[in-house]
Amino acid sequence: MWKMARSERKPRAYLCRRFTENVEAALKQRYDLSVNENDRILSPDEVESRAQGAQVLFASATEQITESVLRRLSPTLRYVATLSVGYDHIDMHAARTLGIGVLHTPDVLSDACAEVAMMLMLNACRRAYEADRMVRSGNWTGWGPTQLLGIGLKGKRLVVFGMGRIGRQIAVRAQAFGMEIHYHNRRPLPAGQASGAIYHADLDEALLAADVLVIAAPGSPQLKGVINARRIALLPPRAILVNISRGDLVEDAALINALTAGRLFAAGLDVFANEPDIDARYRGLDNVFLSPHIGSATEETRDAMGWLLIDGLDALYQGRTPDNLLTPFHSRAYETTQ
């Protein structure tokens, strides 16, 4: 923990969303902290007005830290610390131009996100939404030989789109279920990291092999709509699609049409375009399992993410450069998810 001289005042900081109790307690020890008490998502204008005078802005993926936000908080603002691996919600060009450091939280959420990917995969394959509803509604009349037949994982080909740290943890878990692992990246993994997974340099080629497709690629403008109607048509009949990355990588209309027509067996989605205002048609589909962006939502992981930001800022105030400080020459968020 960094220490100040007795006469020094704590740096002012603004917390855009509520963090875990342990992390908030540590922040209050270090900073003159103002908090968004009701935890609702703030617009850029609200962030600008509430964070005036702050040296540190604690954000998350739900806030759009635009050029306007950064310029209006500059030159007082020194650091933006985002509780996320991705940083596409922050105008990095503006931050660099204004000399504002940006910290993020790589490396500590891979296990939690991989667990949610497996949860979505299993629930989609085994028709969990329909099963849960049947029991809760009182409409279950007892076991039947053909009741709610799903798809087993053993022997199926899993394609991981984005074989970074999270993707590799998904692959490890899927191998334990007897799945054959394929992946698509911009480049192949070193031999020691691939663990026998089959590399596809071309995304279209990879999709042809995907009994189950898990999207774990990074969110970026270049990938928006990358899984469109043409690419969904490349998947084998009755394939499963799982998305834990960003909602806008998938074209909603194309996915909904494929699920409605039975072209895909099912989907499992933890992320959506325009969250939380998702395409309402998803709610009417029995063959899609929906969860509210809970990939890293374990107590252990959210504590670890918060402490990574705290430790990074402590290092900066001590004159050291932490590994989770983003610079123009070191974009580790992309390495983490891709």
Side-chain angles (χ1 to χ4, degrees):
M1 176 177 174
W2 61 280
K3 295 182 179 179
M4 299 176 294
R6 187 179 298 272
S7 60
E8 271 189 272
R9 297 174 61 183
K10 292 180 180 180
R12 291 183 63 184
Y14 186 74
L15 182 62
C16 292
R17 299 298 303 273
R18 301 306 301 267
F19 288 2
T20 62
E21 183 177 343
N22 291 335
V23 171
E24 285 195 11
L27 292 177
K28 288 174 182 176
Q29 287 182 338
R30 289 162 168 79
Y31 300 98
D32 176 6
L33 187 71
S34 298
V35 179
N36 175 15
E37 296 288 351
N38 66 13
D39 200 35
R40 68 177 178 83
I41 297 173
L42 301 177
S43 69
D45 286 345
E46 289 174 311
V47 174
E48 286 177 15
S49 63
R50 294 184 181 208
Q52 286 295 323
Q55 291 179 262
V56 182
L57 179 66
F58 290 97
S60 70
T62 58
E63 288 75 60
Q64 294 300 310
I65 310 301
T66 63
E67 179 181 6
S68 174
V69 170
L70 296 171
R71 287 197 178 279
R72 294 196 180 197
L73 296 180
S74 174
T76 306
L77 185 66
R78 296 180 62 188
Y79 304 111
V80 175
T82 181
L83 196 82
S84 61
V85 177
Y87 50 91
D88 50 307
H89 56 295
I90 302 170
D91 190 321
M92 292 298 295
H93 176 74
R96 290 165 184 147
T97 300
L98 296 166
I100 297 169
V102 178
L103 295 95
H104 68 146
T105 58
D107 306 339
V108 295
L109 46 69
S110 300
D111 289 323
C113 290
E115 290 167 2
V116 165
M118 294 306 298
M119 177 193 79
L120 294 168
M121 188 188 309
L122 286 164
N123 280 308
C125 287
R126 297 301 299 270
R127 301 173 66 176
Y129 168 66
E130 294 172 88
D132 181 86
R133 185 182 59 188
M134 180 181 289
V135 175
R136 290 180 188 274
S137 67
N139 291 326
W140 184 38
T141 58
W143 181 87
T146 60
Q147 184 180 82
L148 291 177
L149 296 181
I151 292 176
L153 297 184
K154 186 175 181 179
K156 297 299 188 299
R157 297 167 300 179
L158 168 65
V159 170
V160 180
F161 175 20
M163 192 77 149
R165 290 175 176 84
I166 295 171
R168 293 197 294 275
Q169 289 302 318
I170 295 168
V172 167
R173 288 158 175 76
Q175 283 176 324
F177 282 86
M179 302 186 80
E180 178 182 293
I181 311 301
H182 298 242
Y183 72 100
H184 168 69
N185 265 3
R186 293 183 302 174
R187 64 183 71 90
L189 294 172
Q193 295 181 7
S195 301
I198 300 166
Y199 175 64
H200 298 265
D202 182 72
L203 176 58
D204 288 359
E205 175 191 296
L207 296 177
L208 293 170
D211 297 316
V212 179
L213 171 66
V214 174
I215 304 168
S220 72
Q222 293 76 22
L223 290 179
K224 184 175 181 179
V226 65
I227 304 301
N228 53 26
R230 182 185 70 79
R231 286 198 162 114
I232 288 173
L234 296 175
L235 294 168
R238 291 166 56 83
I240 307 290
L241 184 149
V242 171
N243 190 7
I244 62 164
S245 174
R246 290 287 189 272
D248 63 7
L249 269 65
V250 177
E251 287 189 357
D252 286 330
L255 177 56
I256 289 166
N257 288 341
L259 291 167
T260 302
R263 176 68 181 74
L264 297 184
F265 182 79
L269 307 176
D270 187 50
V271 290
F272 307 88
N274 305 311
E275 295 177 10
D277 299 320
I278 75 168
D279 191 313
R281 291 174 292 177
Y282 283 123
R283 299 189 181 100
L285 295 176
D286 287 343
N287 58 342
V288 59
F289 188 87
L290 309 173
S291 62
H293 204 149
I294 58 171
S296 61
T298 67
E299 294 176 3
E300 299 87 350
T301 300
R302 293 286 167 81
D303 271 349
M305 293 168 73
W307 276 105
L308 190 58
L309 295 178
I310 291 170
D311 291 343
L313 287 163
D314 284 357
L316 287 165
Y317 277 100
Q318 294 167 358
R320 296 181 286 111
T321 302
D323 289 341
N324 62 325
L325 177 68
L326 293 162
T327 72
F329 308 106
H330 188 206
S331 181
R332 291 194 60 196
Y334 189 82
E335 294 172 13
T336 299
T337 53
Q338 172 73 351

